[in-house]
Amino acid sequence: MNVRVDDQNILVTGASRGIGYAIAKTLLESGAYVGLHCRANVELLENLVEQHPEKCSIHVADLSSSGNAVSLFQEFAATVDRVDAVVNNAGVALDTPVDAKFESWESSFDKMMNINLKSAIVLCREALVHFVHHDGGRLINIASRAAVRGDTADYMAYAASKGALVAYTRSIARAFGKQGVRAFILAPGFTKTDMADEFIEQYGEAIAIDDLALERLTTPEDIAPIATLLVSGLADHATGCSIDINAGSYVH
């Protein structure tokens, strides 16, 4: 089945690399107009812009400040007639060992909560107000296997940020469904991205693969088609669901 999202206007955060880049690329190839968000490194998006010059726009914002999330949504909304969907993908995973100096621990904790949770929620809020006045829309929030399975001692705060995002997304699905809003969670496991390179370089890829039921690590390209399906409208009755894409490393 060739899933199309023609005539949809979709904002993707963290689109310059990894999962966000793959989702944005697939949405563009499937007919959408895509707002490409990045914090910096605009040059990483040049390939997509060259291939789809009339179908995308670049929006730079540092989501460690939630006020920038408001500006980001408003800027994209001003670019298009209406916003049909938002994919909240931007995120960071910072180690926060409990025995670190408090100032260092708190700094990492706050940055993760601001980017992974608060700015994502602010974008959801902006989108909800817009959707209610435009006959609905769809939200795709990228969480993590860690939200349900938990994580290592150094990444408990990361797991907490993603767990809270899951709860918020489910609440949106229940509270705004009759107003045309659909909300979904994608929960990747260990995914072969730039963010994972440091772990792989330090410990080796085999350690991650040994945890899987399948033969290779999940890639961003394994995740992007699911996001496209969810924004297409073909899976609306799955609103509120969490879709695990973790190569069988966690099954529940």
Side-chain angles (χ1 to χ4, degrees):
M1 179 173 57
N2 185 19
V3 177
R4 300 294 303 175
V5 287
D6 298 290
D7 303 320
Q8 286 208 42
N9 302 312
I10 302 168
L11 175 63
V12 180
T13 68
S16 63
R17 60 180 188 163
I19 294 171
Y21 184 92
I23 290 174
K25 182 175 184 291
T26 302
L27 290 172
L28 285 165
E29 292 170 349
S30 300
Y33 182 95
V34 180
L36 305 168
H37 160 261
C38 62
R39 182 184 62 83
N41 301 320
V42 171
E43 64 275 8
L44 297 176
L45 294 168
E46 289 177 354
N47 186 46
L48 290 181
V49 175
E50 288 173 3
Q51 292 179 33
H52 307 277
E54 305 298 322
K55 296 292 289 182
C56 57
S57 53
I58 295 176
H59 305 271
V60 180
D62 181 356
L63 296 181
S64 62
S65 170
S66 57
N68 291 337
V70 176
S71 300
L72 170 62
F73 183 87
Q74 292 178 348
E75 181 181 293
F76 179 63
T79 305
V80 295
D81 293 334
R82 60 165 285 165
V83 179
D84 297 286
V86 174
V87 180
N88 271 313
N89 165 76
V92 293
L94 304 174
D95 59 333
T96 51
V98 295
D99 57 354
K101 289 184 178 179
F102 179 77
E103 293 78 8
S104 174
W105 179 89
E106 185 178 40
S107 176
S108 295
F109 180 89
D110 287 346
K111 184 174 183 178
M112 271 193 296
M113 289 298 171
N114 283 336
I115 296 174
N116 296 359
L117 181 60
K118 188 173 182 182
S119 282
I121 285 177
V122 168
L123 280 164
C124 287
R125 176 187 179 276
E126 294 298 308
L128 286 170
V129 173
H130 181 89
F131 291 164
V132 167
H133 289 91
H134 290 83
D135 299 319
R138 297 178 182 88
L139 290 164
I140 314 295
N141 288 332
I142 308 299
S144 169
R145 172 186 69 184
V148 181
R149 191 183 81 160
D151 214 320
T152 62
D154 288 352
Y155 289 90
M156 292 190 295
Y158 171 77
S161 72
K162 294 299 188 177
L165 185 61
V166 169
Y168 194 83
T169 309
R170 290 174 176 166
S171 298
I172 290 172
R174 289 181 55 80
F176 288 87
K178 287 186 170 60
Q179 292 169 276
V181 178
R182 316 297 184 228
F184 309 92
I185 302 143
L186 290 184
F190 195 93
T191 304
K192 194 172 176 59
T193 64
D194 292 346
M195 189 182 291
D197 282 348
E198 183 177 342
F199 177 93
I200 291 173
E201 288 175 7
Q202 184 174 359
Y203 298 105
E205 192 171 296
I207 290 177
I209 292 177
D210 288 346
D211 191 42
L212 309 181
L214 301 185
E215 70 284 355
R216 63 169 177 83
L217 287 177
T218 302
T219 68
E221 290 70 29
D222 294 315
I223 298 167
I226 308 300
T228 304
L229 173 66
L230 294 177
V231 299
S232 73
L234 294 173
D236 278 355
H237 276 255
T239 189
C241 78
S242 178
I243 298 179
D244 299 319
I245 310 175
N246 61 44
S249 62
Y250 181 74
V251 181
H252 68 100

